[in-house]
Amino acid sequence: MKNHIHNLLQNNPMSLKQYYIFFVLVVFAFAKAYSQETPSKVLSKEEAVSLMLENNFGIKLANNQVEISENNTSILNADYLPTVTGNAGANFDRTTSNTDFGGALNQEGVPRPDIEIVGAETTRYNASINLDYTLFDGLGRYYNYKQLKEQYNLTQLQARETIENTMLQLFSVYYEVARLKENVIILEEALRVSKDREVRAQYQFEYGQVNKLQVLNAKVDITTDSINVLNARQNLQNAQRDLNVVLNRDLENKFQADTTVTFVNKLLMDSHIEQALQNNVTLLQSEKDIMISDYQIKTARALFLPTVGLTGSYGWNLSNNPASAFFPSTTSTSNSLAAGATLRWNLFDGGRSIIALKNAKIFRENQELAKEQLKQQVQRDIANAKGNYKNALAIYEMQTQNVRTNQDNFERSQEQLKLGQISSIEFRQAQLNLLNAEVTKNAAKYTAKLAELQLLQLTGQLLNVAF
């Protein structure tokens, strides 16, 4: 092979040039084919949300807590039904006895003999069913049932907050995947341009139009762009694994993110902001806490009232008694039915009920104070999020215009490079300016979208809008 190339060099230089160019093109073609990733299925935003709701561990735990609270609201847990207990018992006794009459005489004047009873067995059986029912307990169980209902509603709000937080986490990673994918495309295009420039520079060098420095500059730029592409692809794969963790899927599950981003209409967003205090999930939880505190106060007051209840029982007894020295064996059976009413009034319990009521009132007051403090914080967070969102949108619009400007500049620089009116260094600078502008625009786009999602969460509308 070396001799063949040497002969070409000595006898036909133009053939060697053609061979070199052909070799470079073939290498580039194979490199491009090797570098292309296997096409992956696009994971839509709706599919991502569905997988999150179905698989995410945090959401599963929250849903289980909701189910527990729902079970607690059942009438079976509210003390409204009577209690019925059954009791049964059995006793067995085996006795050996000896009765000595101490020389006493019978009717015939003969001393009475001792009476020995061996293995006398006594058996007793009993069974009963008892019923207790509280007719009135000062409305304590009624307010306790209401409290359980509000606790269930509170748990639902807590689950909703978990879903909203997880959704923000999901889209922060999802949009990171989308951003990195777009960056890979941008960097691959920059690498393609650098490769084309290297081929053109090699042609020009072979024909004496440029010096070797132009070729070397192009090669250096290819190396830099290739490294950038490799790093971007690795970052993309890492982000894909992060998203698979949120979705609780196989870490190596390959997919692409939807890079389409739409923003909520301004008028609709303003409407959401106006109703934020009525829909914010944190404030809604605070209101539920206050309602639960109200029922706790009423439950504490119920301790001062009497409790009226009904009782009833049915019993059965069977007793088998063996014969004794004086009596024959007997068997007795009895049945009993009883019913009654009870009144219990705790007139004084040492003051514990009074303290419980006072503490319940103080706790309720604390819940009110916490709500006011939380309301102020939410208003601040909404104002900050609104400002951040508007600022992010403005930056995105500016970066979009900046990309257009740099695109025009790059295209003109490309034409001037072909005409030899600018150096490769000047062209490279135009290329880098466009590259940086496109990457910055992508970051601004997804930053604006995440700022919008954060604002939607604060207004309580994150789960009610399309993505």
Side-chain angles (χ1 to χ4, degrees), residues 59-73:
I59 293 178
K60 285 184 177 180
L61 291 173
N63 289 335
N64 286 340
Q65 288 299 121
V66 172
E67 188 173 352
I68 291 174
S69 294
E70 185 177 11
N71 291 337
N72 288 337
T73 61

Side-chain angles (χ1 to χ4, degrees), residues 13-210:
M14 287 302 296
S15 297
L16 179 60
K17 293 178 184 178
Q18 294 173 355
Y19 171 81
Y20 176 79
I21 293 171
F22 174 76
F23 177 76
V24 171
L25 292 176
V26 169
V27 170
F28 284 166
F30 276 104
K32 182 176 181 181
Y34 178 77
S35 64
Q36 287 179 343
E37 299 179 353
T38 303
S40 302
K41 177 181 179 295
V42 175
L43 178 66
S44 69
K45 304 178 186 70
E46 292 76 14
E47 290 174 330
V49 172
S50 178
L51 288 171
M52 178 200 71
L53 294 175
E54 181 180 354
N55 299 332
N56 183 265
F57 288 118
I59 293 178
K60 285 184 177 180
L61 291 173
N63 289 335
N64 286 340
Q65 288 299 121
V66 172
E67 188 173 352
I68 291 174
S69 294
E70 185 177 11
N71 291 337
N72 288 337
T73 61
S74 170
I75 193 173
L76 300 176
N77 191 48
D79 294 331
Y80 273 105
L81 299 178
T83 59
V84 179
T85 58
N87 298 302
N91 293 285
F92 174 81
D93 182 70
R94 184 183 182 90
T95 305
T96 299
S97 64
N98 183 67
T99 303
D100 182 0
F101 292 97
L105 303 177
N106 59 18
Q107 294 178 352
E108 298 175 354
V110 178
R112 299 187 65 174
D114 294 348
I115 300 176
E116 183 179 5
I117 301 176
V118 179
E121 296 181 354
T122 302
T123 57
R124 297 183 181 89
Y125 304 95
N126 65 84
S128 65
I129 296 178
N130 305 290
L131 180 143
D132 290 286
Y133 182 65
T134 301
L135 289 176
F136 178 76
D137 65 345
L139 297 179
R141 62 184 174 182
Y142 171 76
Y143 293 124
N144 184 60
Y145 180 70
K146 290 289 188 181
Q147 183 178 334
L148 291 174
K149 284 286 190 181
E150 293 304 327
Q151 187 65 48
Y152 167 66
N153 295 333
L154 175 61
T155 307
Q156 284 186 313
L157 291 173
Q158 291 170 343
R160 170 185 157 187
E161 183 178 30
T162 300
I163 293 174
E164 288 181 355
N165 291 335
T166 307
M167 187 170 291
L168 275 181
Q169 180 189 7
L170 166 69
F171 279 108
S172 65
V173 182
Y174 183 91
Y175 285 133
E176 178 67 5
V177 173
R179 183 185 71 84
L180 291 173
K181 177 57 181 177
E182 289 194 301
N183 284 356
V184 168
I185 295 174
I186 293 170
L187 293 171
E188 287 177 343
E189 176 62 20
L191 177 60
R192 186 194 64 79
V193 171
S194 295
K195 288 179 177 180
D196 290 344
R197 180 161 66 88
E198 195 271 343
V199 172
R200 187 179 301 107
Q202 188 65 43
Y203 268 117
Q204 292 174 334
F205 172 72
E206 294 294 340
Y207 288 101
Q209 296 178 354
V210 297

Side-chain angles (χ1 to χ4, degrees), residues 40-41 237 240-241 244 249 252-256:
S40 302
K41 177 181 179 295
Q237 292 177 0
Q240 288 173 331
R241 294 189 186 99
N244 283 329
R249 301 198 307 173
E252 301 305 323
N253 196 330
K254 298 298 182 181
F255 63 92
Q256 297 299 334

